[in-house]
Amino acid sequence: MTYSGEVTVGGPADVHELKDLMITKVAVGPMNNNAYLLRCRATDEQLLIDAANDAHTLLGTIGDDGIASVVTTHRHGDHWQALAEVVAATGARTHAGRYDAEGIPVPTDVLVDDGDTLRVGQVELTARHLVGHTPGSVVLVYDDPHGHPHLFTGDCLFPGGVGNTHKDPNAFASLIHDVETKIFDVLPDETWVYPGHGADTTLGAERPHLPEWRARGW
């Protein structure tokens, strides 16, 4: 089956099978949040991005092998509703951006800074700190040595624009700057984007619209 990234709450997960990494996407909760389970093919170690909601669904997706770690992309409550239950069930270490950890009611074991490396088995992910949607939002980059990069953006980048900055011009200026300089300026058009809600996209599909986003201010 070809991966589409199109998932619905209550529906089946979709699996993106790469040579070294399996990426399982599932939608959960009333805000249609995406959670991503990453599995290293060499070691079977797993990492979860955003224990957003519906712990039962997430734990069923994780399966008997458990997870070594869970990354919360940012402090907004719809991205951590199931975090406490998932951690209690799996013993996973928690990761979050240094400047958002205080807003997450589950203790953060590892504070993540810009440029930090996170591992799932033999696979390395690079964290980038983007300011604007929240003070401490982090995105994760998997630079696949056998193909194009894969980017997990939380609520910082979606098809059609950057994340909500609540009509705060300073927050928008910060977020669009960080998205441009830390994502679009350094990653190729083929980069696959996995957002915190809704459908996937690629940087190539979004890049032509950057001037439009800047002009409209959101």
Side-chain angles (χ1 to χ4, degrees):
M1 294 290 290
T2 301
Y3 174 80
S4 70
E6 297 177 2
V7 294
T8 57
V9 176
D14 199 4
V15 181
H16 204 168
E17 298 197 22
L18 310 179
K19 186 171 183 180
D20 296 337
L21 186 69
M22 290 180 61
I23 302 167
T24 300
K25 178 179 181 178
V26 62
V28 292
M31 297 185 71
N32 191 35
N33 285 75
N34 296 323
Y36 299 95
L37 181 67
L38 279 54
R39 184 182 186 100
C40 171
R41 287 184 175 273
T43 67
D44 287 332
E45 184 172 293
Q46 298 189 118
L47 174 151
L48 181 67
I49 299 174
D50 283 344
N53 208 304
D54 191 356
H56 177 76
T57 292
L58 295 181
L59 291 170
T61 303
I62 290 166
D64 293 339
D65 289 340
I67 51 172
S69 49
V70 55
V71 180
T72 302
T73 56
H74 63 289
R75 67 171 65 188
H76 287 160
D78 59 307
H79 289 260
W80 47 253
Q81 290 298 309
L83 183 58
E85 191 170 343
V86 167
V87 169
T90 63
R93 286 174 61 78
T94 56
H95 298 64
R98 179 176 299 276
Y99 302 105
D100 267 13
E102 66 181 10
I104 300 168
V106 178
T108 298
D109 298 318
V110 180
L111 298 174
V112 179
D113 291 310
D114 189 64
D116 282 357
T117 298
L118 285 69
R119 300 184 65 90
V120 50
Q122 296 179 5
V123 171
E124 291 189 350
L125 308 169
T126 302
R128 301 312 308 261
H129 174 212
L130 308 184
V131 181
H133 182 66
T134 65
S137 291
V138 291
V139 304
L140 299 177
V141 182
Y142 169 51
D143 193 358
D144 186 355
H146 310 289
H148 55 73
H150 297 259
L151 175 65
F152 302 89
T153 58
D155 284 359
C156 285
L157 177 64
F158 296 98
V162 297
N164 191 349
T165 52
H166 306 284
K167 299 181 180 180
D168 180 335
N170 293 327
F172 172 76
S174 175
L175 183 56
I176 193 73
H177 172 269
D178 284 0
V179 164
E180 287 183 336
T181 59
K182 295 183 179 182
I183 294 178
F184 283 97
D185 286 356
V186 296
L187 295 173
D189 284 351
E190 296 78 15
T191 302
W192 195 278
V193 177
Y194 306 82
H197 304 262
D200 298 356
T201 186
T202 65
L203 291 188
E206 307 305 322
R207 192 184 302 274
H209 303 289
L210 284 168
E212 170 192 337
W213 301 351
R214 272 197 171 275
R216 74 189 186 192
W218 57 274

